[in-house]
Amino acid sequence: MSETIKERSLNFVEEIIEADLKSGKHNGRLLTRFPPEPNGYLHIGHAKSICLNFGLAQKYGGGTNLRFDDTNPVTEDTEYVDSIKNDLRWLGFNWTNEMYASDYFDQLFKYAKKLITKGLAYVDDSSAEEMATLKGTPNAPGVESPFRNRTVEENLNLFDGMANGDFAEGSRVLRAKIDMTSSNMLMRDPIIYRIKFAEHHRTGDKWCIYPMYDFAHGQSDSIEGITHSICTLEFVSHRELYDWFLEKLEIFPSKQYEFARLNLTYTVMSKRKLLQLVNEGHVTAWDDPRMPTISGMRRRGYTAKSIVDFCDRIGIQKRDNLIDVSLLEFFVREDLNKTSTRVMAVFDPLKVVITNLPDGVVEPCSLENNPEDPESGHRLVNFTKEIYIERGDFMKEPPAKYFRLSPGKMVRLKGAYIIQCDEVIENEGGSIKELRCSYIPSSKSGADESGIKVKGVIQWVSASEGLKSEIRIYDRLFKVEDPSSEEGDFKEYINENSLEIITAYVEPVLKDAKPGDRYQFMRNGYFVPDTDFSPENLVFNKTVGLKEGFKVG
Ligand code: ATP
Ligand code: MG
């Protein structure tokens, strides 16, 4: 089969770019940007936008600016700036320039004055309620403000006064003078500057007026010479305004293109909602492994490759849709299967005493680290007199064709010996306390001369050498596929049982686990050391199960 990326048909943005490059527009130059507002951590939806913007630049030999869209002083913070840069690097992307919309405040102020001078902007003293009333509705035209026909000079003076802090917050705004009867409500004299006596994370208290999104975004694109400004569908109606400002200001004509946001099942994807989950304690932090944030997924054990592969696979659409999270998990599993070290961990231990192995004797057994990767080598695991097996791997009264352990029967211990169950010791209530077994010394894996054939292989951990470890097992954060579209508050649909903590016995080698190491706990799934992990306090997160199949409950 020769299915290569080359053969995938072009998506609509690629078609536009190829046409632009062919026609020699911008002299063949391509510059995209990724413009996060630093008011939260990046989530998987952002990853989609990142892969698209950086991916296009890589494919067509262009560049991508990282621009912090930090024009709203109230919600932004440098903590978020740092986390965004960290997540981008982890995903494997390098930006051409690191920019801040707030660096353009002086330029934007000049642009506003230019519009005033051209008779295309005015200071409005109306209250917010008055402005809302005069704006009209989609079916009824708006009415012009009584302040709309101030002279250029008066407007310049008042706007300077706003910038000087002469007026109270909410008392005046600067508006573009466009068309109060436009069918596009955003063209009905949109507000472009408002007074806000707020400290900005970068400009401090230098400004007490701040530009609105629509007066900052397109201009920032233009200042940087962005050729293709790609954003999500909710900005379709803003495009007319975007073009209007660049045209009236007579500056570089960046162009905006829109694609559908990524939505995933069983989660929410807006920073506002994610912040609520954090602030109200439904999760522990932005990087809680149940969060759809990049940092949460990293902590959960998802690889950057699996996230990028997922984004490539889903492509881009022009209509909103909901993608099944199991598709993302498919890519995670696919990558982890190739790269993770196999180890044994017993989640529900049943003690087994090997009666014919003398006290204190250890039998080193060699186990393969990763059958998918011949380079990964082997490790030695000591077989000892007392071991734990999974309680579910023993049955006192087994059905026919049960190949694991049962009274009088034999099974192979993974990488070690065949054992036979000779005696079952029960507690008073009849529950099983431990098993007495004998091992077949000539049956060692890799050097088996016993001639005995057994069908079952089970895993085990030495009771004396295995380590107790905390295992965090996650389920979906929400009980319904699309919590945002349900009636009432989205938090009513939180799955209260999304975290289960158990104690397990794991192979001693896991004491040396490092952040970023990835393991397959055989038969149990893929696991990573949590950020809470230390050699004295072993904590692992379950990344994903070995096979698809999740139950919410
Ligand atoms: P949120 O709704 O989560 O607060 P946002 O759009 O306000 O998201 P920004 O920081 O402004 O977040 O987003 C930066 C870029 O990422 C924008 O270009 C935005 O369109 C894009 N983006 C955000 N969410 C998604 C998503 N779910 N799917 C695709 N792109 C997204
Ligand atoms: Mg935003």
Side-chain angles (χ1 to χ4, degrees):
M1 267 208 6
S2 66
E3 197 187 324
T4 59
I5 297 174
K6 195 170 86 254
E7 288 164 33
R8 174 172 68 77
S9 60
L10 297 182
N11 65 46
F12 68 92
V13 183
E14 290 169 333
E15 278 174 10
I16 292 165
I17 290 176
E18 293 204 358
D20 288 348
L21 293 175
K22 207 167 156 204
S23 72
K25 199 171 170 184
H26 312 306
N27 301 318
R29 193 174 61 81
L30 172 73
L31 186 62
T32 60
R33 88 286 173 264
F34 173 64
E37 184 177 350
N39 62 352
Y41 283 62
L42 295 183
H43 51 59
I44 181 82
H46 291 114
K48 168 113 211 62
S49 170
I50 291 165
C51 291
L52 178 62
N53 280 296
F54 284 87
L56 288 168
Q58 281 169 2
K59 179 169 178 185
Y60 294 106
T64 306
N65 283 355
L66 167 60
R67 181 189 325 130
F68 291 101
D69 207 343
D70 59 349
T71 54
N72 180 359
V74 185
T75 53
E76 296 159 359
D77 200 278
T78 40
E79 174 199 342
Y80 299 131
V81 169
D82 294 340
S83 78
I84 289 168
K85 284 162 53 175
N86 188 33
D87 287 349
L88 267 169
R89 281 195 206 98
W90 180 74
L91 282 171
F93 295 106
N94 298 309
W95 46 93
T96 310
N97 301 294
E98 177 179 335
M99 309 302 235
Y100 293 81
S102 57
D103 285 347
Y104 309 137
F105 281 164
D106 285 295
Q107 183 63 59
L108 292 170
F109 185 65
K110 286 184 198 147
Y111 285 157
K113 287 192 158 178
K114 183 168 176 182
L115 281 189
I116 295 175
T117 310
K118 289 179 97 176
L120 294 173
Y122 61 98
V123 174
D124 196 334
D125 305 356
S126 309
S127 68
E129 297 75 46
E130 284 162 344
M131 273 190 272
T133 315
L134 293 180
K135 191 139 202 181
T137 67
N139 301 318
V143 175
E144 294 184 359
S145 159
F147 301 96
R148 198 174 198 259
N149 293 312
R150 281 176 155 152
T151 63
V152 168
E153 203 183 7
E154 192 184 359
N155 280 317
L156 285 174
N157 282 336
L158 286 170
F159 187 50
D160 276 333
M162 282 169 63
N164 283 336
D166 298 345
F167 310 123
E169 225 168 274
S171 64
R172 288 191 160 95
V173 293
L174 183 70
R175 297 177 74 176
K177 192 171 182 177
I178 309 181
D179 179 4
M180 288 307 288
T181 65
S182 172
S183 58
N184 181 350
M185 297 289 286
L186 291 172
M187 298 299 279
R188 294 187 187 175
D189 291 10
I191 297 173
I192 56 181
Y193 262 96
R194 76 261 198 237
I195 300 170
K196 231 174 210 175
F197 289 93
E199 184 98 1
H200 185 277
H201 77 118
R202 298 189 85 221
T203 58
D205 58 6
K206 176 173 176 196
W207 295 93
C208 63
I209 57 170
Y210 291 94
M212 302 298 285
Y213 172 88
D214 283 318
F215 197 70
H217 200 89
Q219 285 84 329
S220 304
D221 285 343
S222 176
I223 291 167
E224 294 174 17
I226 301 297
T227 55
H228 298 79
S229 174
I230 304 162
C231 61
T232 41
L233 285 178
E234 69 271 26
F235 292 101
V236 167
S237 59
H238 296 247
R239 195 194 319 131
E240 195 179 356
L241 189 51
Y242 182 107
D243 290 339
W244 190 89
F245 283 132
L246 301 194
E247 186 197 318
K248 300 301 175 201
L249 290 169
E250 300 161 66
I251 55 179
F252 180 78
S254 297
K255 286 284 170 212
Q256 174 185 304
Y257 304 94
E258 309 87 11
F259 72 103
R261 297 178 86 82
L262 166 66
N263 297 300
L264 269 191
T265 53
Y266 299 105
T267 192
V268 292
M269 203 84 89
S270 113
K271 282 182 280 188
R272 189 177 50 79
K273 288 180 181 160
L274 296 175
L275 184 63
Q276 277 182 57
L277 294 177
V278 175
N279 286 347
E280 296 171 20
H282 300 289
V283 295
T284 54
W286 279 100
D287 71 346
D288 186 300
R290 292 165 291 183
M291 291 279 271
T293 51
I294 303 300
S295 51
M297 292 183 170
R298 177 168 59 236
R299 186 168 169 188
R300 173 96 171 239
Y302 286 21
T303 58
K305 180 179 186 324
S306 59
I307 294 174
V308 173
D309 285 352
F310 166 74
C311 290
D312 284 352
R313 162 65 196 277
I314 56 178
I316 58 168
Q317 292 81 29
K318 278 187 172 175
R319 287 232 196 113
D320 280 321
N321 52 25
L322 187 62
I323 304 273
D324 196 329
V325 65
S326 54
L327 183 63
L328 173 57
E329 290 167 347
F330 166 84
F331 283 101
V332 174
R333 227 178 254 123
E334 197 177 62
D335 192 24
L336 292 179
N337 179 44
K338 294 191 194 113
T339 55
S340 57
T341 303
R342 273 61 170 169
V343 290
M344 297 189 288
V346 171
F347 282 20
D348 185 9
L350 173 60
K351 186 182 268 188
V352 172
V353 179
I354 310 293
T355 49
N356 58 340
L357 190 67
D359 262 341
V361 170
V362 299
E363 288 288 344
C365 300
S366 170
L367 276 98
E368 216 176 357
N369 285 326
N370 182 357
E372 300 283 324
D373 175 11
E375 310 260 286
S376 66
H378 289 70
R379 68 185 179 289
L380 290 178
V381 184
N382 284 336
F383 178 61
T384 58
K385 186 169 181 71
E386 291 192 348
I387 61 169
Y388 292 119
I389 65 167
E390 209 62 77
R391 200 164 274 276
D393 283 339
F394 173 79
M395 269 185 113
K396 199 175 156 195
E397 287 158 12
K401 297 200 174 162
Y402 182 78
F403 298 122
R404 284 170 278 162
L405 200 57
S406 57
K409 295 285 169 52
M410 290 187 181
V411 78
R412 173 171 293 284
L413 296 176
K414 175 83 187 166
Y417 295 89
I418 295 173
I419 58 169
Q420 174 171 320
C421 176
D422 303 319
E423 194 184 345
V424 181
I425 315 279
E426 296 186 351
N427 292 308
E428 267 178 29
S431 60
I432 295 163
K433 186 176 174 214
E434 62 180 52
L435 306 177
R436 300 281 163 107
C437 297
S438 46
Y439 85 111
I440 315 294
S442 62
S443 68
K444 194 169 190 176
S445 277
D448 184 0
E449 293 169 351
S450 70
I452 303 171
K453 293 269 169 288
V454 292
K455 282 198 173 154
V457 181
I458 64 172
Q459 55 170 339
W460 55 281
V461 168
S462 160
S464 51
E465 299 196 2
L467 301 171
K468 257 194 184 176
S469 157
E470 177 179 323
I471 310 283
R472 299 179 184 166
I473 299 175
Y474 305 98
D475 198 349
R476 310 284 195 226
L477 192 49
F478 289 90
K479 289 183 281 198
V480 294
E481 277 204 340
D482 189 7
S484 303
S485 73
E486 298 284 339
E487 256 174 51
D489 190 83
F490 75 99
K491 284 171 293 177
E492 287 169 29
Y493 301 94
I494 289 178
N495 173 12
E496 301 297 342
N497 304 312
S498 58
L499 171 61
E500 183 193 356
I501 297 181
I502 62 169
T503 303
Y505 287 88
V506 300
E507 280 185 38
V509 68
L510 289 174
K511 194 172 193 296
D512 302 319
K514 302 269 174 308
D517 282 354
R518 294 190 164 81
Y519 297 97
Q520 185 193 103
F521 289 0
M522 285 187 274
R523 303 233 316 264
N524 280 315
Y526 295 100
F527 292 79
V528 279
D530 184 67
T531 46
D532 291 341
F533 178 97
S534 72
E536 296 72 42
N537 179 35
L538 274 49
V539 184
F540 291 92
N541 293 320
K542 181 169 181 177
T543 309
V544 67
L546 293 180
K547 291 202 190 80
E548 189 173 335
F550 242 105
K551 84 175 191 322
V552 175

